[in-house]
Amino acid sequence: AATVSPHVMAPGGLLSLQASGFLPGHPVVVAIGGRAVATLHADSLGYVDWTAHPDGIGLRPGRYTVALSSLLITERTSFRVS
């Protein structure tokens, strides 16, 4: 399962993303709005976490879907930049 916090943020805020269920040690691609923005590696229990500033990755106000993909597993969640 993937979670994002906060679900609604002001520009300049900090996005925190956590997800689980991936194969330990495998790469996990983070895509926001269909654009890959990071590649993480799952820890020994299959968890990943990531933080970013939305303006730092070029996100304008709007609703975004986040997809975390690794091999056959994709977890999704969403958030909004106000």
Side-chain angles (χ1 to χ4, degrees):
T3 59
V4 65
S5 177
H7 291 283
V8 178
M9 71 182 63
L14 185 65
L15 176 71
S16 178
L17 178 66
Q18 297 85 34
S20 61
F22 300 103
L23 293 174
H26 282 256
V28 178
V29 175
V30 179
I32 298 178
R35 181 174 61 106
V37 294
T39 299
L40 314 173
H41 285 84
D43 70 10
S44 62
L45 298 175
Y47 290 91
V48 293
D49 59 57
W50 183 69
T51 56
H53 291 280
D55 357 340
I57 52 175
L59 299 182
R60 298 175 182 250
R63 184 163 196 78
Y64 293 92
T65 297
V66 180
L68 295 102
S69 303
S70 180
L71 297 175
L72 302 175
I73 301 166
T74 299
E75 295 288 340
R76 289 184 175 82
T77 188
S78 63
F79 68 96
R80 185 169 58 88
V81 177
S82 59

